[in-house]
Amino acid sequence: MAEEVKVFGAWGSPFSRRVELALQLKGVQYEYIEEDVLKNKSPLLLKYNPVHKKIPVLLHNGKPIAESLVILEYIEETWKGNPILPEDPYDKAMARFWANFVDEKCLPVLRKAGWSQESEREKVVEEACECLKTLESALRGKRFFGGDTVGMVDIAANFIGYWLRVIQEATGMEVLSAEKFPELFKWTDEFVSCSIVKGSLPPRDKLLAFVKARIAAGMDQAPTNASK
């Protein structure tokens, strides 16, 4: 009997794209279900994630799993091929630490920087740069955070690897540059150049237009209240 694997997501969400990338790296076939998380969440999404009512949700043989980092852990435990976490317990713990650092420290301040008023942007950008400086230290000259291959931290940092530079173009804000963070900037190029990663990213022109439209409408640049 074939496995049932479904992903409830949104095309512009880095969180649901995390899940898709992990499944693609593992070679897992899945059905993708697009959700209108901003205006009309489906009854199925509300059924499978009644607590947070957010995407992404992974449905595996009828069992729903929510929260993107939790889903990544589930994918790693369920499909053993092409691991996204190191085998060594310490290295595995460090990968989890940095993935959580991205979610808890980097993403909130980067979103705030992209949406801040001119009067407060300098201070917020400074805070964002401090987070990126700390994150860059985890690379330590490696091609990816996972070493020679894309791993958990790379997947968790997909917003920084792709979305951030699009938002910078749309807003005129500069946090990430080759001059400020040469290793991290190089990593973003390496990350988006991977063939599998490319297949898990939204079209750049479409994403840029989406961000500009939300800025013009006075809204947040991403559906952050609807995904995690």
PDB file of all heavy atoms in Angstrom, residues 17 32 34 50 52 67 70 73 75 98 126 131 134 142 155 183 191 206 209-210 216:
ATOM      1  N   ARG A  17       7.990  25.791   2.550  1.00  0.00           N
ATOM      2  CA  ARG A  17       9.050  25.427   1.606  1.00  0.00           C
ATOM      3  C   ARG A  17      10.150  24.617   2.289  1.00  0.00           C
ATOM      4  O   ARG A  17      10.820  23.805   1.662  1.00  0.00           O
ATOM      5  CB  ARG A  17       9.638  26.675   0.959  1.00  0.00           C
ATOM      6  CG  ARG A  17       8.655  27.457   0.099  1.00  0.00           C
ATOM      7  CD  ARG A  17       8.381  26.768  -1.214  1.00  0.00           C
ATOM      8  NE  ARG A  17       7.477  27.538  -2.074  1.00  0.00           N
ATOM      9  CZ  ARG A  17       7.313  27.329  -3.367  1.00  0.00           C
ATOM     10  NH1 ARG A  17       7.958  26.342  -3.965  1.00  0.00           N
ATOM     11  NH2 ARG A  17       6.478  28.067  -4.072  1.00  0.00           N
ATOM     12  N   TYR A  32       1.043  18.193  -2.813  1.00  0.00           N
ATOM     13  CA  TYR A  32       1.061  19.540  -2.245  1.00  0.00           C
ATOM     14  C   TYR A  32      -0.333  20.156  -2.347  1.00  0.00           C
ATOM     15  O   TYR A  32      -0.970  20.102  -3.401  1.00  0.00           O
ATOM     16  CB  TYR A  32       2.067  20.426  -2.978  1.00  0.00           C
ATOM     17  CG  TYR A  32       2.035  21.868  -2.513  1.00  0.00           C
ATOM     18  CD1 TYR A  32       2.612  22.223  -1.305  1.00  0.00           C
ATOM     19  CD2 TYR A  32       1.394  22.849  -3.275  1.00  0.00           C
ATOM     20  CE1 TYR A  32       2.560  23.533  -0.855  1.00  0.00           C
ATOM     21  CE2 TYR A  32       1.349  24.156  -2.829  1.00  0.00           C
ATOM     22  CZ  TYR A  32       1.931  24.498  -1.628  1.00  0.00           C
ATOM     23  OH  TYR A  32       1.877  25.800  -1.182  1.00  0.00           O
ATOM     24  N   GLU A  34      -2.212  23.738  -1.751  1.00  0.00           N
ATOM     25  CA  GLU A  34      -2.052  25.178  -1.518  1.00  0.00           C
ATOM     26  C   GLU A  34      -3.176  25.703  -0.636  1.00  0.00           C
ATOM     27  O   GLU A  34      -4.354  25.421  -0.873  1.00  0.00           O
ATOM     28  CB  GLU A  34      -2.046  25.924  -2.852  1.00  0.00           C
ATOM     29  CG  GLU A  34      -1.964  27.437  -2.741  1.00  0.00           C
ATOM     30  CD  GLU A  34      -0.591  27.969  -2.305  1.00  0.00           C
ATOM     31  OE1 GLU A  34       0.382  27.184  -2.329  1.00  0.00           O
ATOM     32  OE2 GLU A  34      -0.507  29.149  -1.951  1.00  0.00           O
ATOM     33  N   PRO A  50      -5.601  22.268  14.595  1.00  0.00           N
ATOM     34  CA  PRO A  50      -6.599  23.049  15.340  1.00  0.00           C
ATOM     35  C   PRO A  50      -5.993  23.953  16.409  1.00  0.00           C
ATOM     36  O   PRO A  50      -6.645  24.898  16.856  1.00  0.00           O
ATOM     37  CB  PRO A  50      -7.478  21.967  15.976  1.00  0.00           C
ATOM     38  CG  PRO A  50      -6.567  20.786  16.131  1.00  0.00           C
ATOM     39  CD  PRO A  50      -5.651  20.830  14.936  1.00  0.00           C
ATOM     40  N   HIS A  52      -2.812  25.782  16.319  1.00  0.00           N
ATOM     41  CA  HIS A  52      -2.234  27.027  15.797  1.00  0.00           C
ATOM     42  C   HIS A  52      -2.931  27.538  14.541  1.00  0.00           C
ATOM     43  O   HIS A  52      -2.796  28.707  14.196  1.00  0.00           O
ATOM     44  CB  HIS A  52      -0.747  26.828  15.515  1.00  0.00           C
ATOM     45  CG  HIS A  52       0.060  26.509  16.735  1.00  0.00           C
ATOM     46  ND1 HIS A  52       0.189  27.384  17.787  1.00  0.00           N
ATOM     47  CD2 HIS A  52       0.780  25.411  17.084  1.00  0.00           C
ATOM     48  CE1 HIS A  52       0.953  26.848  18.723  1.00  0.00           C
ATOM     49  NE2 HIS A  52       1.318  25.645  18.327  1.00  0.00           N
ATOM     50  N   GLU A  67       4.090  22.614  12.663  1.00  0.00           N
ATOM     51  CA  GLU A  67       5.300  23.364  13.013  1.00  0.00           C
ATOM     52  C   GLU A  67       6.484  22.857  12.187  1.00  0.00           C
ATOM     53  O   GLU A  67       6.890  21.694  12.309  1.00  0.00           O
ATOM     54  CB  GLU A  67       5.631  23.279  14.507  1.00  0.00           C
ATOM     55  CG  GLU A  67       4.503  23.719  15.414  1.00  0.00           C
ATOM     56  CD  GLU A  67       4.295  25.223  15.406  1.00  0.00           C
ATOM     57  OE1 GLU A  67       5.227  25.971  15.745  1.00  0.00           O
ATOM     58  OE2 GLU A  67       3.184  25.645  15.053  1.00  0.00           O
ATOM     59  N   VAL A  70       9.459  20.948  13.779  1.00  0.00           N
ATOM     60  CA  VAL A  70       8.992  19.651  14.273  1.00  0.00           C
ATOM     61  C   VAL A  70       8.809  18.693  13.105  1.00  0.00           C
ATOM     62  O   VAL A  70       9.184  17.509  13.175  1.00  0.00           O
ATOM     63  CB  VAL A  70       7.672  19.812  15.060  1.00  0.00           C
ATOM     64  CG1 VAL A  70       7.118  18.447  15.462  1.00  0.00           C
ATOM     65  CG2 VAL A  70       7.877  20.684  16.287  1.00  0.00           C
ATOM     66  N   GLU A  73      12.105  17.306  11.896  1.00  0.00           N
ATOM     67  CA  GLU A  73      12.571  16.223  12.771  1.00  0.00           C
ATOM     68  C   GLU A  73      11.822  14.928  12.440  1.00  0.00           C
ATOM     69  O   GLU A  73      12.418  13.841  12.397  1.00  0.00           O
ATOM     70  CB  GLU A  73      12.341  16.603  14.235  1.00  0.00           C
ATOM     71  CG  GLU A  73      13.193  17.761  14.739  1.00  0.00           C
ATOM     72  CD  GLU A  73      14.500  17.301  15.355  1.00  0.00           C
ATOM     73  OE1 GLU A  73      14.825  16.089  15.281  1.00  0.00           O
ATOM     74  OE2 GLU A  73      15.205  18.158  15.917  1.00  0.00           O
ATOM     75  N   ILE A  75      10.408  14.075   9.590  1.00  0.00           N
ATOM     76  CA  ILE A  75      10.883  13.591   8.286  1.00  0.00           C
ATOM     77  C   ILE A  75      12.209  12.865   8.441  1.00  0.00           C
ATOM     78  O   ILE A  75      12.430  11.790   7.864  1.00  0.00           O
ATOM     79  CB  ILE A  75      11.013  14.769   7.294  1.00  0.00           C
ATOM     80  CG1 ILE A  75       9.619  15.292   6.926  1.00  0.00           C
ATOM     81  CG2 ILE A  75      11.779  14.357   6.040  1.00  0.00           C
ATOM     82  CD1 ILE A  75       9.637  16.582   6.120  1.00  0.00           C
ATOM     83  N   TRP A  98      21.254  25.677  16.343  1.00  0.00           N
ATOM     84  CA  TRP A  98      21.319  26.745  15.343  1.00  0.00           C
ATOM     85  C   TRP A  98      20.013  26.876  14.570  1.00  0.00           C
ATOM     86  O   TRP A  98      19.620  27.993  14.190  1.00  0.00           O
ATOM     87  CB  TRP A  98      22.507  26.532  14.404  1.00  0.00           C
ATOM     88  CG  TRP A  98      23.816  26.820  15.059  1.00  0.00           C
ATOM     89  CD1 TRP A  98      24.802  25.935  15.378  1.00  0.00           C
ATOM     90  CD2 TRP A  98      24.274  28.102  15.514  1.00  0.00           C
ATOM     91  NE1 TRP A  98      25.847  26.573  16.003  1.00  0.00           N
ATOM     92  CE2 TRP A  98      25.548  27.908  16.103  1.00  0.00           C
ATOM     93  CE3 TRP A  98      23.737  29.383  15.499  1.00  0.00           C
ATOM     94  CZ2 TRP A  98      26.287  28.958  16.639  1.00  0.00           C
ATOM     95  CZ3 TRP A  98      24.469  30.436  16.048  1.00  0.00           C
ATOM     96  CH2 TRP A  98      25.736  30.218  16.610  1.00  0.00           C
ATOM     97  N   GLU A 126      20.654  47.216  12.936  1.00  0.00           N
ATOM     98  CA  GLU A 126      21.829  46.902  13.759  1.00  0.00           C
ATOM     99  C   GLU A 126      21.613  45.621  14.552  1.00  0.00           C
ATOM    100  O   GLU A 126      22.511  44.772  14.642  1.00  0.00           O
ATOM    101  CB  GLU A 126      22.108  48.072  14.708  1.00  0.00           C
ATOM    102  CG  GLU A 126      23.386  47.910  15.517  1.00  0.00           C
ATOM    103  CD  GLU A 126      23.666  49.119  16.394  1.00  0.00           C
ATOM    104  OE1 GLU A 126      23.292  50.243  16.016  1.00  0.00           O
ATOM    105  OE2 GLU A 126      24.262  48.921  17.474  1.00  0.00           O
ATOM    106  N   CYS A 131      22.550  39.449  14.835  1.00  0.00           N
ATOM    107  CA  CYS A 131      22.078  38.070  14.705  1.00  0.00           C
ATOM    108  C   CYS A 131      22.784  37.359  13.554  1.00  0.00           C
ATOM    109  O   CYS A 131      23.210  36.202  13.685  1.00  0.00           O
ATOM    110  CB  CYS A 131      20.571  38.049  14.477  1.00  0.00           C
ATOM    111  SG  CYS A 131      19.602  38.305  15.970  1.00  0.00           S
ATOM    112  N   THR A 134      26.350  36.429  14.424  1.00  0.00           N
ATOM    113  CA  THR A 134      26.396  35.225  15.253  1.00  0.00           C
ATOM    114  C   THR A 134      26.157  33.984  14.408  1.00  0.00           C
ATOM    115  O   THR A 134      26.850  32.970  14.545  1.00  0.00           O
ATOM    116  CB  THR A 134      25.349  35.314  16.373  1.00  0.00           C
ATOM    117  OG1 THR A 134      25.592  36.483  17.156  1.00  0.00           O
ATOM    118  CG2 THR A 134      25.406  34.083  17.268  1.00  0.00           C
ATOM    119  N   LYS A 142      32.693  26.508   6.166  1.00  0.00           N
ATOM    120  CA  LYS A 142      32.061  25.372   5.500  1.00  0.00           C
ATOM    121  C   LYS A 142      31.218  25.848   4.324  1.00  0.00           C
ATOM    122  O   LYS A 142      30.756  26.983   4.292  1.00  0.00           O
ATOM    123  CB  LYS A 142      31.174  24.594   6.483  1.00  0.00           C
ATOM    124  CG  LYS A 142      31.928  23.939   7.634  1.00  0.00           C
ATOM    125  CD  LYS A 142      30.991  23.217   8.577  1.00  0.00           C
ATOM    126  CE  LYS A 142      30.125  24.187   9.353  1.00  0.00           C
ATOM    127  NZ  LYS A 142      29.330  23.494  10.405  1.00  0.00           N
ATOM    128  N   ILE A 155      18.252  24.311   5.805  1.00  0.00           N
ATOM    129  CA  ILE A 155      16.819  24.313   5.491  1.00  0.00           C
ATOM    130  C   ILE A 155      16.096  25.334   6.367  1.00  0.00           C
ATOM    131  O   ILE A 155      15.261  26.104   5.880  1.00  0.00           O
ATOM    132  CB  ILE A 155      16.223  22.909   5.698  1.00  0.00           C
ATOM    133  CG1 ILE A 155      16.879  21.909   4.737  1.00  0.00           C
ATOM    134  CG2 ILE A 155      14.706  22.925   5.493  1.00  0.00           C
ATOM    135  CD1 ILE A 155      16.527  20.457   5.016  1.00  0.00           C
ATOM    136  N   GLU A 183      31.013  35.332   4.302  1.00  0.00           N
ATOM    137  CA  GLU A 183      30.766  33.880   4.342  1.00  0.00           C
ATOM    138  C   GLU A 183      29.277  33.564   4.234  1.00  0.00           C
ATOM    139  O   GLU A 183      28.879  32.636   3.529  1.00  0.00           O
ATOM    140  CB  GLU A 183      31.344  33.283   5.628  1.00  0.00           C
ATOM    141  CG  GLU A 183      32.852  33.179   5.628  1.00  0.00           C
ATOM    142  CD  GLU A 183      33.356  32.251   6.719  1.00  0.00           C
ATOM    143  OE1 GLU A 183      33.129  31.022   6.608  1.00  0.00           O
ATOM    144  OE2 GLU A 183      33.964  32.742   7.677  1.00  0.00           O
ATOM    145  N   PHE A 191      23.595  27.996  -1.601  1.00  0.00           N
ATOM    146  CA  PHE A 191      22.314  27.391  -1.232  1.00  0.00           C
ATOM    147  C   PHE A 191      21.330  27.426  -2.403  1.00  0.00           C
ATOM    148  O   PHE A 191      20.765  26.403  -2.793  1.00  0.00           O
ATOM    149  CB  PHE A 191      21.741  28.124  -0.020  1.00  0.00           C
ATOM    150  CG  PHE A 191      20.430  27.583   0.485  1.00  0.00           C
ATOM    151  CD1 PHE A 191      20.356  26.334   1.091  1.00  0.00           C
ATOM    152  CD2 PHE A 191      19.264  28.330   0.372  1.00  0.00           C
ATOM    153  CE1 PHE A 191      19.149  25.838   1.562  1.00  0.00           C
ATOM    154  CE2 PHE A 191      18.059  27.840   0.842  1.00  0.00           C
ATOM    155  CZ  PHE A 191      17.998  26.592   1.439  1.00  0.00           C
ATOM    156  N   LYS A 206       7.797  36.565  -9.010  1.00  0.00           N
ATOM    157  CA  LYS A 206       6.486  36.477  -8.369  1.00  0.00           C
ATOM    158  C   LYS A 206       6.582  36.862  -6.898  1.00  0.00           C
ATOM    159  O   LYS A 206       5.716  37.581  -6.369  1.00  0.00           O
ATOM    160  CB  LYS A 206       5.939  35.053  -8.511  1.00  0.00           C
ATOM    161  CG  LYS A 206       4.541  34.865  -7.937  1.00  0.00           C
ATOM    162  CD  LYS A 206       4.055  33.424  -8.133  1.00  0.00           C
ATOM    163  CE  LYS A 206       2.666  33.225  -7.536  1.00  0.00           C
ATOM    164  NZ  LYS A 206       2.189  31.832  -7.697  1.00  0.00           N
ATOM    165  N   ALA A 209       7.124  40.677  -6.550  1.00  0.00           N
ATOM    166  CA  ALA A 209       5.868  41.385  -6.787  1.00  0.00           C
ATOM    167  C   ALA A 209       4.932  41.250  -5.588  1.00  0.00           C
ATOM    168  O   ALA A 209       4.245  42.207  -5.199  1.00  0.00           O
ATOM    169  CB  ALA A 209       5.199  40.856  -8.053  1.00  0.00           C
ATOM    170  N   PHE A 210       4.917  40.066  -4.990  1.00  0.00           N
ATOM    171  CA  PHE A 210       4.079  39.802  -3.819  1.00  0.00           C
ATOM    172  C   PHE A 210       4.500  40.687  -2.644  1.00  0.00           C
ATOM    173  O   PHE A 210       3.661  41.308  -1.982  1.00  0.00           O
ATOM    174  CB  PHE A 210       4.198  38.324  -3.460  1.00  0.00           C
ATOM    175  CG  PHE A 210       3.511  37.927  -2.183  1.00  0.00           C
ATOM    176  CD1 PHE A 210       2.129  37.792  -2.127  1.00  0.00           C
ATOM    177  CD2 PHE A 210       4.242  37.652  -1.033  1.00  0.00           C
ATOM    178  CE1 PHE A 210       1.492  37.403  -0.952  1.00  0.00           C
ATOM    179  CE2 PHE A 210       3.620  37.269   0.136  1.00  0.00           C
ATOM    180  CZ  PHE A 210       2.233  37.146   0.178  1.00  0.00           C
ATOM    181  N   ALA A 216       2.943  48.000  -0.323  1.00  0.00           N
ATOM    182  CA  ALA A 216       2.082  49.070  -0.819  1.00  0.00           C
ATOM    183  C   ALA A 216       0.741  49.089  -0.102  1.00  0.00           C
ATOM    184  O   ALA A 216       0.130  50.152   0.093  1.00  0.00           O
ATOM    185  CB  ALA A 216       1.876  48.915  -2.324  1.00  0.00           C
TER     186      ALA A 216
END
